[in-house]
Amino acid sequence: PDFLLRVPAANVDATESGSATDISESENEAVGDEGNMSAAAAADSAASADPVQPAVVSVQQEEPQHINPTGESVVSHCYGQVCCYPSSLSASQKSNGEETEGDICTICFEAWTTAGEHRLSALRCGHLFGYTCIQRWLKSQRPNAKCPQCNKKAKHSDIVLLYAPKLRALDNTEQESLKRFLEQEQCLRRKAELEMAQCKLKLQVITSQYGQAQKELQELKALMAQSGKSSTPCSSTSSSLLSGLSQRADGLKSANYNFSKAVLVSQAGGCRVMSYCEPLSCLLASQPSAHATLLPGYGVKKVSMMNMKANEYVPIHSKQIRGLSFNRQNDSLLLSAALDNTIKLTSLLTNTVVQTYNAGKPVWSCCWCLDNTNYIYAGLNNGSVYVYDTRDTSTHVKELEPLRPRCPVASLCYIPRSTSSSFPCGGLIAGTLDSGTFWEQENEAAYKPHILPLENGCIDIQVETESRHCLVTYRPGRSKPMQRCVLMALSRTPLNDSHDLPECSCSPVQTFNAGSSCKLLTKNAVFRCPDGERTLVCAGEEATNCTLVWDASSGFLLQKLPADLPVLDISPFSVNGEHFLASLTEKMLKLYRWQ
C-alpha cells in the first residue's frame, strides 16, 4: 500500500459480515483529540490518493488481505485492519486490454481522438497518427524527416486530418478471390458454349452424311439383288448403275439450285432491295419510276411467281428506297424506308399508302417487331433507332440512342423470343458501319443495350431465327483484304437461374470469303436448307458477278450462281411447296429453283 496510517485500535463487529467497520464512541473518546485529528488526516489522504492504488488503514495488529475474486472493492475487517481495493483498477485493465493496435497512435501509444490536438491524421504514405505526435516527430527530424513506420520522406504539409469517428478495414480478400474465380468460370463457360455450337453444326453435317449413306446403301442392296436375279452377266449394267449412283451421291452433296428464269425489273437500273409477299405470292423489288417526268420518285415492282413476270409498279417514296419488310400476319402490308426521311405502310391489296411517318432524318433500314406486330423500327443515318406504334399515327414512341460514334444503321433484324433455345431473349439487332448492338426487349417500353463484339467495316447483319445465328458481312480492309461473311452464334450469360445481370454476346463459328471487291452495300442471306438438314449461307461476289452458296456447318463452297451484274440482295422463299432463291441486280431478277 502506498498510504499507511496507524490509528488506535477499534472495536469491530463480527468478521462474518465483511461489510463495514464501526468504531465505538468510548474508544474514540479514549484516544482523544489527537486521535481524531489523525483519523481525519487519514481520511483526507485516502480521498486524494490515486484511485488505481489500493489504500490500507492499519491499527495495532495486521491481518492478511482479503480480495474478492470478482474484482470489486472489498473492505476487510480482521483485528482492526481496514483494506480498501478500488474497482477502477479492474476497469482500467479491462479497457487497456480491449484496445487494439489499429485504434492507437504508434508514437505515443495513446488512443487518437476525433477532435482536439490529438485528433486522427495521416501522412501521404497512408499511415495514421495523432496530430500533435506526428507534428512533433517531423519537427524533431528536420530536415530529413521520415514516416515513423515506413521511413518514407515526409514533411509538415503532408499531414492530412481525417474526419472519421472510427476506422475499420474490411477484409475483402476472399471476395476478390471469388470474383476472380467467377470470371474464370464465365470464360470457361463461354468457351464451352462456343464448342457446343461448333459441335452442333458438325452433328448436322454428320447426320446429313449418315442419311445420304443410308440411301446409297439401300440403292446398292437393290442393285445387288437385281444383279443376282439376272441369269446373264451384267457387269456393264452394274458399272453404269454404280456410276449413276455415284453421280447422284455427288449431287446430294451440292446445293441443288438450278437456274429457272431471269426477269427484267428496270431497263434504266436503280434497283436496290427486295422482299417476298407470301399472301400474294409475288416478289417486290425497289426501283426508280420508269416515267420520271410524269410520275417521279421511287416505288416497287411486283413480280408474280405464278407466271414469273413483272406486272405492276407501285409508287411510294420520292427518294431511293433502302429497306422493305413484311410482318407475320400475312395482311399484305409492306413497310418501306427511304432517304426522303419517311417510313411508310403500303397495302398491296389496293396499291395505296395507308400510313406515313416522318422521321426528320434519312432512313436507312426498317423491320417489324415479330413478337408484337403493332411496333415497327426505323434505323436512321445518325445511328439512332426510332420505335413506332402503328396505333399512334403522330410520331415515334421511343428512341434508341447509339452507344458509340454515330454511323448510319445499315441493317435492322428482329429476333423473336424462344423458350427452348440457349438464347431465349428477343430483341433488335442494329448494325451500323462500325459496330453492332443488340437491344434486348424487356417489355413493350424498355430496351436494354448489349454491344456485340464486332469489327469495324460491318455492312450487313442477317439473322437465322431458328438456330439463333447471325451472319455478319465485313468489307475488305488493310489487314484483311477479302470481303468476309462471318457466321456467329448468339449467346446469353449467365443463365436465368443466376443472380447476376445477364449479358448477350456473339462468337464466330465459321468464316466465308466472298472476293476482294466490295463497292456496294450488299445484303446477304442465311437460312435453313430446303431439305431441313443443314444451314446455307449465300453472298454476292462483285468480282465475278456470282451468288456463292456455302454449307454453314462445313464451310465448303457448294455452288456458284452466275449473274449479269453485281448481286445487291438475296432472298429465299417457297411457293406451293417449291423452294426458290432470288438474286437481285440493278436491272435483273434471277430465279433459281431447288431440285
Side-chain angles (χ1 to χ4, degrees):
D2 295 338
F3 301 95
L4 181 61
L5 180 64
R6 297 188 177 274
V7 296
N11 292 331
V12 296
D13 295 336
T15 57
E16 290 83 2
S17 61
S19 59
T21 302
D22 296 332
I23 302 175
S24 64
E25 295 180 358
S26 61
E27 290 177 347
N28 287 336
E29 291 176 357
V31 173
D33 295 338
E34 184 178 356
N36 293 335
M37 295 176 62
S38 300
D44 294 338
S45 300
S48 61
D50 189 356
V52 179
Q53 300 297 333
V56 178
V57 180
S58 180
V59 289
Q60 294 177 357
Q61 295 179 354
E62 295 183 355
E63 177 74 8
Q65 301 174 0
H66 296 274
I67 300 178
N68 192 342
T70 60
E72 299 179 352
S73 298
V74 177
V75 181
S76 182
H77 316 276
C78 291
Y79 299 98
Q81 182 185 15
V82 181
C83 299
C84 300
Y85 299 92
S87 60
S88 59
L89 176 61
S90 60
S92 176
Q93 292 176 352
K94 184 177 180 180
S95 62
N96 291 335
E98 290 179 352
E99 288 182 354
T100 60
E101 294 182 357
D103 297 334
I104 62 175
C105 173
T106 55
I107 299 178
C108 66
F109 296 101
E110 294 289 340
W112 51 55
T113 60
T114 58
E117 296 182 352
H118 201 256
R119 66 184 307 167
L120 181 62
S121 61
L123 291 178
R124 182 174 295 180
C125 57
H127 292 109
L128 305 177
F129 308 96
Y131 179 73
T132 53
C133 293
I134 191 60
Q135 188 180 25
R136 291 189 207 133
W137 176 275
L138 296 178
K139 187 175 181 180
S140 63
Q141 297 292 330
R142 288 180 182 175
N144 298 321
K146 297 180 180 179
C147 174
Q149 285 190 330
C150 62
N151 285 334
K152 286 187 178 180
K153 290 185 178 181
K155 52 187 177 179
H156 187 273
S157 59
D158 294 338
I159 302 176
V160 178
L161 297 178
L162 301 181
Y163 298 91
K166 192 171 185 179
L167 294 179
R168 288 190 182 274
L170 181 63
D171 186 8
N172 61 344
T173 306
E174 184 177 358
Q175 183 180 1
E176 293 297 327
S177 62
L178 290 176
K179 284 184 179 179
R180 290 192 295 268
F181 179 74
L182 178 60
E183 292 175 357
Q184 294 175 0
E185 290 297 325
Q186 289 179 349
C187 181
L188 293 176
R189 188 172 198 163
R190 286 192 292 269
K191 290 181 181 179
E193 289 178 352
L194 176 60
E195 293 177 358
M196 183 178 66
Q198 294 175 349
C199 291
K200 283 183 179 180
L201 290 175
K202 291 180 181 179
L203 179 61
Q204 292 178 1
V205 175
I206 294 174
T207 304
S208 62
Q209 291 178 354
Y210 176 72
Q212 294 172 6
Q214 278 191 333
K215 292 179 182 178
E216 294 175 7
L217 179 61
Q218 292 176 359
E219 293 180 359
L220 284 174
K221 287 181 178 180
L223 178 62
M224 293 178 65
Q226 292 177 2
S227 62
K229 291 180 180 179
S230 61
S231 58
T232 58
C234 55
S235 59
S236 59
T237 306
S238 300
S239 61
S240 62
L241 289 174
L242 288 173
S243 62
L245 184 61
S246 63
Q247 291 177 0
R248 184 176 179 182
D250 292 338
L252 288 173
K253 295 180 181 179
S254 62
N256 295 317
Y257 279 115
N258 296 326
F259 176 76
S260 179
K261 192 173 182 180
V263 180
L264 179 63
V265 179
S266 175
Q267 185 69 37
C271 298
R272 187 68 184 86
V273 292
M274 66 176 172
S275 185
Y276 178 71
C277 180
E278 186 174 358
L280 300 180
S281 298
C282 65
L283 271 172
L284 291 99
S286 67
Q287 68 161 92
S289 175
H291 307 282
T293 56
L294 300 177
L295 188 64
Y298 287 75
V300 293
K301 177 68 70 69
K302 289 183 179 180
V303 179
S304 175
M305 291 294 102
M306 298 294 104
N307 54 10
M308 294 189 179
K309 291 183 179 180
N311 47 24
E312 283 184 288
Y313 171 78
V314 181
I316 301 177
H317 292 274
S318 60
K319 292 185 179 181
Q320 187 184 46
I321 299 175
R322 299 304 298 264
L324 298 174
S325 179
F326 286 96
N327 57 18
R328 289 184 173 183
Q329 289 185 342
N330 297 330
D331 53 2
S332 303
L333 200 60
L334 175 65
L335 173 65
S336 59
L339 300 180
D340 58 357
N341 302 346
T342 62
I343 58 173
K344 296 185 178 183
L345 294 175
T346 305
S347 175
L348 297 180
L349 299 176
T350 59
N351 294 337
T352 56
V353 177
V354 296
Q355 181 62 42
T356 300
Y357 294 98
N358 191 350
K361 300 178 181 62
V363 186
W364 280 54
S365 55
C366 63
C367 72
W368 289 84
C369 177
L370 301 182
D371 289 325
N372 188 349
T373 54
N374 291 322
Y375 294 94
I376 56 179
Y377 305 95
L380 308 182
N381 67 337
N382 64 347
S384 298
V385 177
Y386 281 174
V387 183
Y388 291 91
D389 189 347
T390 56
R391 298 164 294 186
D392 183 3
T393 59
S394 58
T395 182
H396 60 276
V397 296
K398 190 175 183 61
E399 179 182 0
L400 307 179
E401 297 182 356
L403 303 179
R404 290 190 173 182
R406 297 177 178 268
C407 291
V409 181
S411 59
L412 281 178
C413 298
Y414 190 89
I415 303 178
R417 295 184 178 91
S418 175
T419 56
S420 61
S421 173
S422 59
F423 187 79
C425 49
L428 183 71
I429 294 183
T432 64
L433 298 181
D434 63 346
S435 63
T437 304
F438 173 69
W439 294 90
E440 181 183 1
Q441 187 175 13
E442 298 177 341
N443 52 59
E444 290 187 358
Y447 293 83
K448 179 182 179 182
H450 301 272
I451 297 179
L452 300 178
L454 304 183
E455 304 175 12
N456 291 331
C458 171
I459 61 175
D460 181 59
I461 299 178
Q462 299 296 326
V463 173
E464 208 289 304
T465 58
E466 184 178 350
S467 63
R468 320 298 277 184
H469 286 76
C470 63
L471 183 68
V472 183
T473 304
Y474 297 103
R475 64 175 62 182
R478 294 182 179 178
S479 59
K480 298 177 180 179
M482 302 292 290
Q483 178 181 347
R484 294 171 295 124
C485 299
V486 182
L487 185 66
M488 293 190 171
L490 297 172
S491 60
R492 183 175 185 264
T493 55
L495 297 179
N496 295 329
D497 55 352
S498 177
H499 297 289
D500 296 336
L501 294 178
E503 291 294 334
C504 299
S505 182
C506 61
S507 55
V509 178
Q510 199 69 258
T511 302
F512 313 94
N513 293 326
S516 58
S517 176
C518 181
K519 298 179 181 178
L520 303 172
L521 297 180
T522 61
K523 292 185 176 297
N524 301 322
V526 53
F527 55 94
R528 297 292 293 176
C529 184
D531 58 13
E533 298 179 353
R534 52 187 173 176
T535 301
L536 298 181
V537 172
C538 295
E541 186 179 19
E542 288 187 12
T544 59
N545 296 337
C546 289
T547 301
L548 305 180
V549 183
W550 292 279
D551 186 355
S553 56
S554 62
F556 295 144
L557 178 62
L558 302 178
Q559 201 171 4
K560 280 190 175 184
L561 306 177
D564 55 335
L565 291 172
V567 178
L568 300 176
D569 199 357
I570 301 171
S571 177
F573 62 95
S574 60
V575 180
N576 297 329
E578 291 185 336
H579 300 277
F580 293 87
L581 183 68
S583 62
L584 178 67
T585 63
E586 288 187 355
K587 297 181 179 181
M588 302 289 295
L589 178 66
K590 288 204 169 186
L591 302 173
Y592 302 89
R593 189 192 306 268
W594 173 268
Q595 292 181 353

